[in-house]
């Protein structure tokens, strides 16, 4: 039975939503096609008919996760509020719906060039967004450098806070980085 174009588009969106959540929760290597098909309520065949390969699915799911997270940014936001939200225990404890950079960064270097290109484009966009929130008294290059450093600090702190098995150390990583970026 053929699926309408409208239904195929809905299926594709459901697959991408599910894949982006599972990748952030389990990692790219921990997201098997079987688990993805089951979680999305689809068959292997429907996944492969939509994307052709797991590699292509991962490329699109990485881009989808980054774009979806970017949509959550209000047009105007205070940088200090963003830093506080990003470096919160709630964000640390919910990787499945959190920042795709922190959830996937450690795996991306071992992925295909297509996946890395999508991730790189997302990082560039995030830095540009952050740069736009830096002080207007700074020169463009200074804003970009400061945005790069802030992005690296945010992602790195979240990665470390999630990785350690000492809750006090984890909280301290978040707090110290938050304090450092607020200056």
């Amino acid at each position: 039975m053929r699926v309408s174009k409208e239904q195929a588009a809905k299926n594709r969106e459901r697959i991408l939503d599910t894949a982006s959540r599972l990748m952030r929760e389990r990692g790219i290597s921990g997201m098997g096609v079987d688990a993805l098909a089951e979680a999305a309520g689809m068959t292997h065949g429907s996944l492969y008919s939509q994307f052709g390969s797991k590699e292509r699915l991962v490329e699109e799911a990485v881009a989808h996760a980054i774009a979806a997270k970017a949509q959550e940014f209000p047009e105007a936001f205070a940088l200090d509020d963003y830093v506080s939200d990003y470096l919160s225990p709630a964000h640390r404890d919910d990787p499945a719906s959190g920042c795709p950079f922190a959830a996937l960064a450690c795996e991306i270097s071992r992925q295909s060039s297509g996946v890395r290109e999508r991730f790189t484009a997302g990082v560039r966009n995030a830095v540009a967004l952050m740069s736009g929130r830096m002080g207007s008294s700074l020169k463009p290059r200074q804003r970009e450098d400061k945005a790069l450093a802030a992005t690296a600090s945010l992602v790195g702190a979240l990665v470390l806070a999630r990785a350690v098995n000492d809750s006090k150390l984890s909280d301290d990583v978040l707090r110290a980085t938050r304090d450092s970026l607020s200056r």
Side-chain angles (χ1 to χ4, degrees), residues 11-174:
N11 291 348
R12 182 180 192 79
E13 188 71 17
R14 185 169 64 225
I15 292 166
L16 288 171
D17 286 343
T18 304
S20 68
R21 179 180 51 80
L22 287 177
M23 280 188 326
R24 286 179 282 176
E25 183 179 292
R26 302 177 185 176
I28 294 169
S29 60
M31 181 190 70
V33 175
D34 292 339
L36 173 58
E38 184 179 327
M42 309 295 285
T43 64
H44 282 101
S46 59
L47 263 69
Y48 285 109
S49 71
Q50 288 279 348
F51 300 97
S53 68
K54 183 179 177 185
E55 181 177 313
R56 178 71 179 169
L57 169 63
V58 170
E59 280 181 32
E60 292 197 34
V62 165
H64 182 81
I66 293 168
K69 207 63 186 161
Q71 292 296 317
E72 293 177 13
F73 281 100
E75 253 187 65
F77 66 90
L79 192 55
D80 284 345
D81 292 340
Y82 176 73
V83 168
S84 290
D85 287 344
Y86 190 95
L87 296 174
S88 68
H91 187 209
R92 174 198 58 208
D93 298 343
D94 189 17
S97 64
C99 175
F101 302 130
L104 303 173
C106 296
E107 285 186 275
I108 292 295
S109 66
R110 292 182 288 283
Q111 298 300 311
S112 70
S113 63
V115 173
R116 293 184 74 195
E117 286 171 15
R118 302 285 182 109
F119 191 86
T120 300
V123 170
R124 281 195 175 105
N125 289 337
V127 169
L129 182 65
M130 183 82 68
S131 179
R133 300 297 180 254
M134 297 292 162
S136 58
S137 64
L138 299 173
K139 294 179 181 170
R141 181 60 187 202
Q142 290 172 315
R143 278 197 310 272
E144 184 177 326
D145 285 351
K146 194 169 179 166
L148 280 166
T151 301
S153 294
L154 289 166
V155 172
L158 193 58
V159 168
L160 283 176
R162 286 178 176 166
V164 299
N165 69 351
D166 177 332
S167 60
K168 182 182 179 328
L169 177 59
S170 179
D171 289 341
D172 287 347
V173 167
L174 296 176

